[in-house]
Amino acid sequence: VNEERNSRDDDLLSFTDELLASNYVDTEEFCKLIAPDFDNENYLRLLHMNLDNLTTKFDAFSSLIRNQLIGSNGSPYFDILAVSETHLRATSGITNLNSLSEVEVKSSLDGYRFHGKSRSNMKKGGVGFFIKNEFYDHFSIEESLSIFHEGIFESLFLKMHPQPNKHGKTTVIGVIYLPNGIRSNKTKIL
């Protein structure tokens, strides 16, 4: 029994070491990694990015999506772009006055529409999705799962309804942001 437990512990430590040793890749390396499936339209293709301020990085983000992460048909590869730390200005409230608002971002990325949740009483944070136009009408907000406690736990979940005349299933997609330093005790209140 002890040998079996030690073996599992060693496997877990090895896996943890691999996770901690993960390397960042640049755009070119990333494109090579996903190239085999670039044009396979049988999958819903998702990408998550922590933007750490969409307002200041929008041009670079937009260029990456429109010019580098594209399929052979010339359109953006990813169907849904989940983003965190958007730092956008909520439609109400007084924070992030120098940031873009959710409304300003709504149709700002060619081929996509934005839906997000931003802080009203604090700066930074925020989560959202850029959804390809052809999929946008098939999504609804899943309010029961979308928990948003500013600065503690920020999430947004979408439900994708099957498209007419397709044999798809309902899919739920979420993006969650836990700010640095917020762990254990504060997240237990959720």
Side-chain angles (χ1 to χ4, degrees):
V1 173
N2 283 338
E3 285 180 27
E4 186 177 314
R5 187 176 307 141
N6 288 338
S7 175
R8 281 194 312 246
D9 291 346
D10 289 344
D11 289 345
L12 180 60
L13 286 172
S14 175
F15 177 74
T16 304
D17 288 344
E18 286 179 38
L19 278 178
L20 294 174
S22 295
N23 295 321
Y24 286 95
V25 296
D26 63 19
T27 305
E28 185 177 324
E29 290 172 286
F30 181 73
C31 289
K32 286 178 187 174
L33 287 172
I34 63 173
D37 291 319
F38 234 54
D39 293 315
N40 188 339
E41 294 186 12
N42 293 324
Y43 302 110
L44 184 64
R45 297 165 297 203
L46 310 168
L47 175 70
H48 171 263
M49 295 182 79
N50 181 316
L51 296 174
D52 189 27
N53 196 337
L54 181 59
T55 299
T56 60
K57 296 182 176 115
F58 184 79
D59 289 341
F61 172 69
S62 178
S63 177
L64 174 70
I65 300 305
R66 288 182 295 122
N67 300 324
Q68 294 179 297
L69 300 179
I70 55 173
S72 62
N73 64 358
S75 70
Y77 173 71
F78 291 100
D79 302 315
I80 300 167
L81 308 166
V83 292
S84 54
E85 278 199 275
T86 59
H87 298 201
L88 296 177
R89 190 172 68 243
T91 53
S92 62
I94 58 170
T95 61
N96 296 346
L97 294 178
N98 294 323
S99 296
L100 293 170
S101 71
E102 292 174 16
V103 173
E104 291 171 304
V105 173
K106 180 110 179 147
S107 299
S108 59
L109 183 61
D110 290 340
Y112 292 89
R113 287 175 58 194
F114 180 78
H115 189 86
K117 181 77 175 152
S118 301
R119 295 178 182 179
S120 297
N121 300 309
M122 300 172 71
K123 291 183 177 182
K124 299 187 176 185
V127 292
F129 292 97
F130 285 92
I131 303 165
K132 265 191 180 175
N133 290 336
E134 60 260 34
F135 293 107
Y136 192 83
D137 291 334
H138 300 284
F139 280 92
S140 62
I141 302 300
E142 187 60 37
E143 296 290 347
S144 64
L145 298 174
S146 298
I147 300 169
F148 200 88
H149 295 287
E150 290 187 24
I152 298 173
F153 187 95
E154 301 173 5
S155 71
L156 182 64
F157 282 80
L158 301 176
K159 183 184 284 187
M160 181 179 181
H161 307 281
Q163 295 179 0
N165 303 321
K166 295 207 175 182
H167 300 288
K169 297 188 180 194
T170 299
T171 305
V172 176
I173 302 163
V175 58
I176 299 171
Y177 173 62
L178 292 173
N180 287 335
I182 303 297
R183 302 289 187 263
S184 64
N185 293 339
K186 289 187 179 181
T187 55
K188 287 180 185 175
I189 64 170
L190 303 174

